[in-house]
Amino acid sequence: MDHFHYRDNVYFAEDVSLEAIAEQVGTPCYVYSRATLERHWRAFDDAFDGYPHTICYAVKANANLAVLNLFARMGSGFDIVSGGELERVLRAGGDPARVVFSGVGKGRDEIERAIAVGIQCFNVESAAELERIESLAAAASRRVRIAVRINPDVDARTHPYISTGLKENKFGIPVDEAVDVYRRAAASAHLEVSGVACHIGSQLTGMAPFEDAFARVLAFVDRLAGAGIELDHLDLGGGLGVRYRDESPPLPRDYTRALVACLERHGCSLPVTIEPGRVICANAGVFLTRVEYLKAGAARRFAVVDGAMNDLLRPALYQAWQEIVPVTIDETLPAYDYDVVGPVCESADFLGKERHLAIAPSALLAVRSAGAYGHVMSSNYNARPRCAEVMVDGDAFHVVRERETFEQLVAGERLLPA
Ligand code: LLP
């Protein structure tokens, strides 16, 4: 459930009309609902019903400082994949001792910084990375906790770009090689074996691939125990999908029940870490954009809007479908099928195709389910400044990121000497 709804034919976020936000902040912009973000985080937390767990929110889904700060205030942990995300978590008041660091390409400086601030755990993705972490821990005279991310070779049945658990994917270490990596870690004075990690993909809409992966992780934990290696947690990644159109993904409670049942069947009572991103943020945000022109082509009608693929990349990159609704419903207008397209000079620049809309020129549109993997994936392509982000809180709203100016856009650039 989210807190976006119509009131007298005008679309609202909580108690604020999106017309008012567009008026004061301009378009395009992202609008988040605080109540929805908090509700979704809590729904996941409550769904564990007392089973020992840590929620490490996947920062990549939405890394705005205000968003991270809300979760930090709720006691969340964080899953990061870069030094930049670590700095964001720290800046937002997150506790480094509740940070797990995932990702296949951790740089030296990123590892050094994570060691210095004392993160909870490195999720290691290769033997070479383990060596690098060990040598940097030794140089800092520290002992750091590690989990090995295994690649369970499970088909997540999602878009190929966001599948991560197949053996042809770059992520994780094959199960058969992972035991050796643990042996090396266990023998090091600077590494402490802490857990095992696994993440098979994103936007999963059924439980079966998760259950398959959990079973493989548990079988692997037994193998480790056989080799005398004990763990203190299981990190089962993120990936739970949301409804964009007509998907019916498991609810957080279905997910956690199946997870806990799997652990119980296996006689495992280890604490669990999960790294949800999309399921918390996607339906807590919309992308607000205004029609610039209505244009009839030879074969299609176009609603040319001021938001584009540089602002919201998912439709162009994954052919993702996100619902587009008019901010103001006017039943006197004729409805047509429109391709909703941006000003960027690419035919991939669309937010939605063949959308049945009754809109006037200059209408405001809201692209729903845009709170995850929206602003974080934006760019400056076509010299378009990055758009603003707004957080609604009850009947108030706050600009949590200013619209970028042209000066900021070129701030780091230099001409060659004359
Ligand atoms: N943990 C790890 C190690 C991950 O790689 C990811 C996502 C997550 C957690 C969070 O997954 P979630 O709960 O959000 O599904 N840009 C794509 C999604 C990329 C996901 C990458 N990894 C999209 O817009 O669909």
Side-chain angles (χ1 to χ4, degrees), residues 26-78:
T27 53
C29 67
Y30 281 88
V31 180
Y32 310 128
S33 152
R34 174 182 183 170
T36 313
L37 288 166
E38 292 183 342
R39 179 195 182 102
H40 289 175
W41 191 93
R42 209 167 274 123
F44 228 114
D45 197 41
D46 291 346
F48 276 90
D49 267 341
Y51 191 92
H53 67 279
T54 306
I55 293 187
C56 286
Y57 164 70
V59 173
K60 65 172 78 66
N62 184 326
N64 182 282
L65 294 179
V67 172
L68 300 181
N69 174 254
L70 285 185
F71 297 144
R73 291 194 220 178
M74 297 174 83
S76 189
F78 297 93

Side-chain angles (χ1 to χ4, degrees), residues 10-11 14 33-34 62 68 99 112 118 130 170 209 218 257 283 375 377 389:
V10 177
Y11 206 45
E14 303 187 23
S33 152
R34 174 182 183 170
N62 184 326
L68 300 181
V99 167
E112 274 166 359
L130 187 82
K170 67 180 173 182
L218 290 169
R257 283 212 177 116
N283 285 318
H375 198 287
M377 293 179 76
E389 294 174 283

Side-chain angles (χ1 to χ4, degrees), residues 206-264:
M207 260 333 279
F210 283 122
E211 290 181 303
D212 209 0
F214 298 159
R216 290 178 196 215
V217 168
L218 290 169
F220 179 72
V221 172
D222 289 345
R223 252 171 96 174
L224 283 182
I229 294 168
E230 299 291 336
L231 306 178
D232 61 27
H233 78 282
L234 308 175
D235 182 337
L236 298 169
L240 186 56
V242 301
R243 174 177 296 212
Y244 285 103
R245 189 174 198 175
D246 49 13
E247 305 90 336
S248 43
L251 297 173
R253 196 165 287 275
D254 303 332
Y255 169 89
T256 54
R257 283 212 177 116
L259 162 56
V260 171
C262 211
L263 295 169
E264 281 170 354

Side-chain angles (χ1 to χ4, degrees), residues 58 60-61 79 81 102 149 162 164 171 199 201-203 237-240 244 275-279 314 318 372-373 377:
K60 65 172 78 66
D79 163 52
V81 292
S102 308
R149 176 169 175 182
I162 54 177
T164 54
F171 299 97
H199 169 82
S202 195
Q203 183 57 11
L240 186 56
Y244 285 103
E275 305 168 350
R278 186 189 317 263
V279 69
R314 300 192 71 259
Y318 315 112
Y373 305 111
M377 293 179 76

Side-chain angles (χ1 to χ4, degrees), residues 9-192:
N9 286 336
V10 177
Y11 206 45
F12 274 64
E14 303 187 23
D15 295 322
V16 178
S17 102
L18 294 189
E19 282 178 347
I21 293 175
E23 187 72 29
Q24 289 179 49
V25 180
T27 53
C29 67
Y30 281 88
V31 180
Y32 310 128
S33 152
R34 174 182 183 170
T36 313
L37 288 166
E38 292 183 342
R39 179 195 182 102
H40 289 175
W41 191 93
R42 209 167 274 123
F44 228 114
D45 197 41
D46 291 346
F48 276 90
D49 267 341
Y51 191 92
H53 67 279
T54 306
I55 293 187
C56 286
Y57 164 70
V59 173
K60 65 172 78 66
N62 184 326
N64 182 282
L65 294 179
V67 172
L68 300 181
N69 174 254
L70 285 185
F71 297 144
R73 291 194 220 178
M74 297 174 83
S76 189
F78 297 93
D79 163 52
I80 59 162
V81 292
S82 72
E85 287 190 350
L86 176 57
E87 298 307 331
R88 282 187 169 275
V89 168
L90 298 173
R91 188 69 66 89
D95 178 1
R98 296 170 75 79
V99 167
V100 296
F101 194 167
S102 308
V104 291
K106 300 176 192 76
R108 277 176 202 285
D109 50 345
E110 294 176 314
I111 295 170
E112 274 166 359
R113 176 75 172 146
I115 292 173
V117 302
I119 67 162
Q120 186 190 321
C121 191
F122 286 90
N123 290 348
V124 177
E125 303 225 13
S126 63
E129 186 196 327
L130 187 82
E131 260 174 50
R132 182 180 275 187
I133 293 172
E134 187 195 16
S135 74
L136 293 172
S141 308
R142 297 281 285 274
R143 190 153 191 258
V144 303
R145 275 178 300 277
I146 63 104
V148 171
R149 176 169 175 182
I150 58 167
N151 181 323
D153 194 24
V154 166
D155 184 357
R157 293 176 222 159
T158 182
H159 192 283
Y161 289 5
I162 54 177
S163 268
T164 54
L166 283 170
K167 61 175 186 288
E168 47 271 40
N169 297 135
K170 67 180 173 182
F171 299 97
I173 299 180
V175 174
D176 287 334
E177 294 165 32
V179 178
D180 260 359
V181 178
Y182 275 99
R183 282 212 181 90
R184 274 196 251 168
S188 163
H190 294 285
L191 301 174
E192 180 181 333

